[in-house]
Amino acid sequence: KLERLQVRYATYFSPLRQLSLGNLPLDKNTRYGRIVIGEQKKGATMLVNKSSLQLILSNVMRYVPSRTTIPILSYVHLQCKDGSLYVSGTNLSASYEARTQVGTEKFDICVPGKTLSDLLAKISDDAVSLSVDEKTLTLIVQYGRSKSKVKGMSGDEFPLTKQDFKTQFFVSSNELREILPFALFSASNDNSHPILTGVKFQCENNTLSLFAADGFRASIVQKETTLPDFTIVVPAISLSSLRLPEDEMLEFGIDDNVMMIKGSDFTFTTQLIDGVFPDVLRIVPKEYLNTVTVEAIFLQRAVEATMVFSRDVANIVKLVLWKDTVSVKGASSEIGDGENIVDLEASTFTEVGAFTIGVNGGYLLDVLRHSPTAMIEIHFNQSTNPIGFSYPGKCEFTHILMPMHVAG
């Protein structure tokens, strides 16, 4: 019964904080289900929960390139020292290190990340033991009566990451989890303009601002803060892969061209982008003549249905605004056309007849899918002016879409 209880306890370990079974007072020759714990002839043995290790590895693998001309970058670094297991990955631009408490085992090795990830996915046992043969630089993975050996490289081959930073302060993880998604989707994917592939963080006069733009749209987040003044541009692709914990104060470090975010069980570092970020606030109209309010989910469904006919025409959809409704239209000469009508919840639109404006349907869906409120406000002037989007009660978030030319 004790053995069964120990295996059950291992299955429900906290994913990132209590990975090891080394803290249990267990005899080294005790069997746990089909897992045998015993001293290895070479190196130390560590019994771990497979699901927890998979979760750690999945977070690390977000920063391991699938294709690279530098072999070590396709490896993950496993280092057990000072009672903790460190699992790290890097693409040289960004690095991620996860850590968890373990026993007194010690080893240091790099193994192919995809190989280890694929192997764990095929293992049905809840617990596996890890050990390292230091002479052959091999990671030994035992599960039940089976065993796999993953050839690796010395831990000394893994690229080092910066640890000391000049500017250090703390930010709530919940605050970052709230504001980051609203800026990331507007960053550019075009590397010909590197500065636009980043998100600008600017802290000035007790206001933290995030800016992202790709030339066709922009996202702006502004919140009151007590943080010190700073301005940096962080690669959006690095931030989009980051999975932040809940209810935790995160340490920020900024030094020269590197930024660090450190939590209780992870450390994230990334290179910053040099250059002058465009003044996004200049494209935001100082005032709007008209504002309509619509339920975000209904407009989203209408745009999604219309996009079936707009995929072949640069994703262009027409928003036809009336006093009480908005009509979403899309047409393709080869496929057909569609029109979806949504009722407005509120409107300041008083002109007789309809007002038509063209937008990129994909960009519009990004705005709607990230809506933190049930309702969304659409602001407009003329059909050639930028369109503004905001959320009732969430004045810190603003999105801007540039209009597209539509015939008729």
Side-chain angles (χ1 to χ4, degrees), residues 163-396:
Q163 299 294 332
D164 300 324
F165 294 84
K166 293 180 181 177
T167 304
Q168 292 189 333
F169 48 88
F170 290 87
V171 177
S172 166
S173 63
N174 291 342
E175 183 176 350
L176 282 180
R177 286 166 59 93
E178 179 187 12
I179 65 178
L180 275 180
F182 291 95
L184 289 175
F185 68 82
S186 289
S188 174
N189 296 319
D190 185 3
N191 290 323
S192 62
H193 296 88
I195 194 67
L196 294 181
T197 63
V199 177
K200 180 181 178 181
F201 287 68
Q202 179 178 321
C203 194
E204 190 175 49
N205 298 327
N206 295 325
T207 300
L208 174 63
S209 302
L210 272 63
F211 303 97
D214 64 0
F216 303 98
R217 58 180 170 176
S219 293
I220 303 166
V221 181
Q222 293 181 310
K223 295 199 70 172
E224 292 184 358
T225 185
T226 58
L227 298 178
D229 291 355
F230 67 91
T231 300
I232 56 176
V233 181
V234 186
I237 190 172
S238 298
L239 291 172
S240 62
S241 300
L242 184 61
R243 295 297 178 264
L244 294 171
E246 296 181 0
D247 304 322
E248 187 173 328
M249 293 303 294
L250 304 177
E251 180 183 356
F252 261 66
I254 303 171
D255 191 4
D256 296 332
N257 203 35
V258 182
M259 182 193 74
M260 174 201 72
I261 302 178
K262 186 176 183 179
S264 61
D265 50 26
F266 78 96
T267 300
F268 164 75
T269 57
T270 181
Q271 297 287 328
L272 300 177
I273 301 177
D274 288 327
V276 179
F277 200 87
D279 186 0
V280 176
L281 294 177
R282 292 182 58 185
I283 68 172
V284 181
K286 295 182 179 180
E287 61 179 359
Y288 292 98
L289 299 177
N290 295 287
T291 297
V292 298
T293 304
V294 62
E295 193 160 351
I297 187 62
F298 291 155
L299 183 58
Q300 176 184 328
R301 292 170 181 169
V303 175
E304 288 173 342
T306 305
M307 286 283 288
V308 172
F309 304 99
S310 301
R311 293 169 184 163
D312 297 334
V313 286
N315 292 329
I316 298 177
V317 299
K318 294 181 183 179
L319 297 181
V320 184
L321 294 158
W322 298 84
K323 185 177 181 180
D324 300 316
T325 62
V326 57
S327 174
V328 186
K329 295 183 177 181
S332 169
S333 58
E334 297 181 357
I335 301 177
D337 58 80
E339 179 180 11
N340 296 270
I341 300 174
V342 181
D343 291 331
L344 298 177
E345 297 296 326
S347 174
T348 63
F349 187 64
T350 58
E351 295 185 17
V352 178
F355 176 86
T356 303
I357 192 167
V359 296
N360 183 300
Y363 292 174
L364 178 55
L365 283 178
D366 284 337
V367 173
L368 296 171
R369 288 168 179 166
H370 286 85
S371 175
T373 58
M375 300 295 171
I376 188 170
E377 295 175 338
I378 306 175
H379 313 279
F380 57 94
N381 289 323
Q382 303 297 324
S383 60
T384 56
N385 297 137
I387 312 166
F389 296 85
S390 61
Y391 310 101
K394 292 283 186 178
C395 59
E396 62 267 32

Side-chain angles (χ1 to χ4, degrees), residues 60-134:
V60 172
M61 286 297 292
R62 296 176 185 275
Y63 297 93
V64 176
S66 57
R67 295 181 181 179
T68 177
T69 56
I70 306 176
I72 192 63
L73 297 185
S74 63
Y75 283 55
V76 294
H77 185 202
L78 303 177
Q79 186 177 32
C80 195
K81 64 177 183 179
D82 302 328
S84 296
L85 171 66
Y86 299 84
V87 185
S88 307
T90 183
N91 55 23
L92 293 185
S93 295
S95 302
Y96 186 91
E97 176 189 84
R99 54 187 174 273
T100 186
Q101 293 181 352
V102 293
T104 59
E105 301 85 355
K106 292 184 179 180
F107 57 73
D108 189 0
I109 192 172
C110 296
V111 295
K114 189 176 187 305
T115 300
L116 181 58
S117 180
D118 290 346
L119 174 61
L120 292 175
K122 301 301 181 182
I123 295 176
S124 58
D125 297 73
D126 291 327
V128 298
S129 65
L130 304 178
S131 61
V132 174
D133 188 330
E134 296 180 357

Side-chain angles (χ1 to χ4, degrees), residues 28-30 34-48 105-107 128-136 138-149:
K28 62 185 179 183
N29 294 316
T30 302
R34 295 189 298 156
I35 300 296
V36 179
I37 301 300
E39 290 186 358
Q40 299 296 320
K41 295 182 179 180
K42 301 177 181 179
T45 300
M46 179 173 60
L47 181 65
V48 300
E105 301 85 355
K106 292 184 179 180
F107 57 73
V128 298
S129 65
L130 304 178
S131 61
V132 174
D133 188 330
E134 296 180 357
K135 290 186 177 180
T136 61
T138 301
L139 178 67
I140 302 170
V141 184
Q142 290 184 288
Y143 39 99
R145 294 176 293 177
S146 305
K147 178 172 64 177
S148 297
K149 297 181 179 180

Side-chain angles (χ1 to χ4, degrees), residues 1-10 21-38 47-48 125-129 143-145:
K1 291 183 178 179
L2 176 61
E3 293 174 357
R4 295 173 183 170
L5 179 61
Q6 290 163 345
V7 172
R8 182 178 300 176
Y9 181 74
L21 299 182
N23 58 341
L24 293 178
L26 307 177
D27 183 82
K28 62 185 179 183
N29 294 316
T30 302
R31 288 178 177 269
Y32 307 97
R34 295 189 298 156
I35 300 296
V36 179
I37 301 300
L47 181 65
V48 300
D125 297 73
D126 291 327
V128 298
S129 65
Y143 39 99
R145 294 176 293 177

